Amino acid sequence: MLNNYFRYAKVGGGQHGEVYLCHKLDSKLPPDHPEYRHVAMKSVKRDNPRAERLKQLRKPRIPHSAHTPMVDKLNTTEAKIRKEIAIMKKCRHPHVVRLYEVIDDRLRDKIYMVMEYLAGGEVKWRNDDNEPLLTVEQTRRIMRDAVLGLEYLHYQGIIHRDIKPANLLWTEDRRQVKIGDFGVSHFSYAQRLAAAGKDGDKDPHDPILLDDSDLTRRAGTPSFLAPEVVYEHTHSPSSPSESSIGIYAVASSSTVASVRPRPPITKAIDIWALGVTLYCLLFGRTPFFADPSLPSSEWSLYNSICNNDWEPLPTMGFDRIPTGGRYPPDDDSEGSMVMDLLVRFLEKDVTQRITLDEVKRSPWLLHGLLEPEKWLEVTSPT
């Protein structure tokens, strides 16, 4: 029992804490009242000895500077959870998991985040044989919800940085999907201003959100990282190492930099990850993967993301709808609409990648809506 919450089942956990299913108790309300609800409570201990030891081992041996960025000064479990809280406090949308309350328990030296509980669990997308579990129509519904949630986050200046099926959560009735897990998310003040104009400047901001140096650190799930996040693995088009050593050779950082500067890390990394997610839901596997014959799988995976092309399977979804290959002959087919969308999602050049507004207006996403123009209007974050 904590405050007015009865904690009775552990539903998840990790390095930084545990998640419990709880009841919110209120003697004044009947059990069927909306406020008498299930919630998820994330419990985080301020001082994580294991994480601190790992951090000390990984810390580069550089001289101390008075100009150390805030992200390094506050790179602790408590700082990370407070950043996650500050980001979640900004969010109130039907397709984003909501934060209800924060309990700061000084006695137990813990922070508790009371959040919306999504009883349907994460989106399951493949079976043990790496075959898709969802029909193409189910995938379309999931993608609509994910696009709306992500569009809202970007409008608020939030880059999620870890979009993937496991962070898309079903409501209990499985009619709706919401984006969750903001543990590595980033708030960009510049992006918020660009999206909201002068109104964005009126938002109250927690100082912990106003340091952009955290965006330079790699974060997220390897298979869903955009090419610009692992740009050092990109081959120079004229690199001699590529022709002499093979496709998995890596051009040196100086070689790549001399050809083309590293692209900035922007909200486009979420759009790439959403494209990888779409591919996963349709085909039961990721579009880029490591060469099992090479010693370093992560190194090989990043090379694949940066330099290799993707290929579709002959059919997509549990209902095995034909894709027509990478370049379908029938422009009006379901497969053709999906291939066109994936090509634009998985564009390695960030300046050419599709935008969320273009995704919303794509024929495949709008297919089946009775009033697509009205849907576009009522779902606009502005």
Side-chain angles (χ1 to χ4, degrees):
M1 188 75 176
L2 180 68
N3 284 18
N4 58 336
Y5 296 99
F6 176 69
R7 195 167 59 178
Y8 67 94
K10 183 178 176 181
V11 293
Q15 179 181 331
H16 296 305
E18 300 172 327
V19 181
Y20 293 89
L21 177 61
C22 303
H23 269 313
K24 181 181 180 182
L25 304 179
D26 191 334
S27 58
K28 299 177 182 177
L29 299 175
D32 59 346
H33 192 278
E35 285 298 308
Y36 190 95
R37 58 176 178 244
H38 285 95
V39 296
M41 181 181 287
K42 183 175 181 178
S43 165
V44 183
K45 192 169 180 62
R46 281 194 178 81
D47 182 22
N48 187 324
R50 180 173 176 271
E52 282 298 310
R53 286 195 298 271
L54 287 173
K55 187 183 74 172
Q56 291 301 322
L57 288 172
R58 292 171 178 165
K59 183 183 291 185
R61 303 192 177 201
I62 55 176
H64 175 75
S65 167
H67 303 288
T68 304
M70 181 182 290
V71 68
D72 291 326
K73 292 178 181 177
L74 299 179
N75 192 21
T76 63
T77 299
E78 181 176 355
K80 288 174 182 176
I81 200 68
R82 289 197 180 279
K83 183 173 183 180
E84 182 179 357
I85 289 168
I87 285 174
M88 291 194 73
K89 280 182 175 180
K90 290 180 170 291
C91 300
R92 185 169 292 192
H93 188 270
H95 298 295
V96 176
V97 174
R98 186 175 170 188
L99 176 68
Y100 292 130
E101 185 180 354
V102 177
I103 302 170
D104 195 345
D105 190 339
R106 298 275 175 183
L107 187 62
R108 295 184 177 89
D109 205 24
K110 286 187 176 183
I111 299 173
Y112 299 93
M113 296 171 63
V114 182
M115 299 176 289
E116 182 179 8
Y117 175 61
L118 279 299
E122 67 184 60
V123 169
K124 303 294 185 184
W125 52 284
R126 62 179 171 183
N127 61 21
D128 293 339
D129 297 320
N130 290 332
E131 296 171 333
L133 292 173
L134 300 162
T135 66
V136 172
E137 185 56 39
Q138 287 173 322
T139 296
R140 189 182 352 253
R141 285 177 45 219
I142 291 169
M143 287 296 293
R144 279 190 197 132
D145 288 355
V147 165
L148 294 181
L150 191 57
E151 181 184 47
Y152 171 80
L153 292 178
H154 287 179
Y155 182 77
Q156 295 298 322
I158 297 164
I159 304 173
H160 188 276
R161 302 176 82 191
D162 200 17
I163 294 293
K164 58 182 179 180
N167 287 336
L168 301 179
L169 306 172
W170 286 110
T171 54
E172 187 172 10
D173 58 8
R174 294 194 172 237
R175 290 188 174 185
Q176 203 173 40
V177 163
K178 305 194 180 196
I179 298 174
D181 194 348
F182 293 84
V184 296
S185 297
H186 179 82
F187 173 76
S188 168
Y189 183 56
Q191 180 177 299
R192 172 61 178 154
L193 281 179
K198 293 182 179 179
D199 290 339
D201 200 30
K202 300 174 183 176
D203 294 346
H205 298 304
D206 190 314
I208 202 170
L209 296 179
L210 298 181
D211 186 77
D212 271 345
S213 58
D214 185 40
L215 202 55
T216 62
R217 297 170 181 264
R218 185 180 299 168
T221 303
S223 294
F224 295 81
L225 295 181
E228 58 267 30
V229 177
V230 290
Y231 190 70
E232 62 273 19
H233 293 263
T234 302
H235 297 157
S236 164
S238 59
S239 170
S241 63
E242 187 173 332
S243 56
S244 61
I245 302 177
I247 190 64
Y248 291 103
V250 180
S252 69
S253 299
S254 58
T255 304
V256 173
S258 66
V259 175
R260 190 169 50 184
R262 173 185 285 273
I265 305 300
T266 67
K267 61 185 179 181
I269 65 174
D270 285 344
I271 297 173
W272 171 279
L274 190 62
V276 175
T277 297
L278 173 59
Y279 188 100
C280 290
L281 301 182
L282 290 171
F283 298 113
R285 68 177 194 181
T286 56
F288 304 99
F289 39 86
D291 184 342
S293 67
L294 294 176
S296 174
S297 60
E298 191 168 298
W299 178 84
S300 173
L301 171 63
Y302 295 155
N303 271 274
S304 179
I305 290 171
C306 290
N307 305 294
N308 293 357
D309 204 354
W310 57 273
E311 289 295 334
L313 298 180
T315 62
M316 58 185 180
F318 180 78
D319 40 352
R320 297 186 175 276
I321 293 177
T323 61
R326 178 67 184 271
Y327 305 101
D330 182 3
D331 290 342
D332 295 326
S333 68
E334 184 98 14
S336 178
M337 289 191 288
V338 170
M339 290 307 106
D340 179 66
L341 196 54
L342 282 172
V343 165
R344 301 190 66 197
F345 259 128
L346 302 178
E347 169 59 61
K348 297 185 195 297
D349 183 349
V350 64
T351 64
Q352 300 299 314
R353 195 171 300 154
I354 196 170
T355 65
L356 281 181
D357 186 63
E358 291 170 330
V359 174
K360 281 184 73 174
R361 296 176 181 277
S362 66
W364 183 75
L365 205 73
L366 294 175
H367 181 73
L369 291 176
L370 295 177
E371 297 180 271
E373 288 301 323
K374 185 175 181 180
W375 179 79
L376 289 170
E377 182 183 347
V378 299
T379 59
S380 172
T382 58

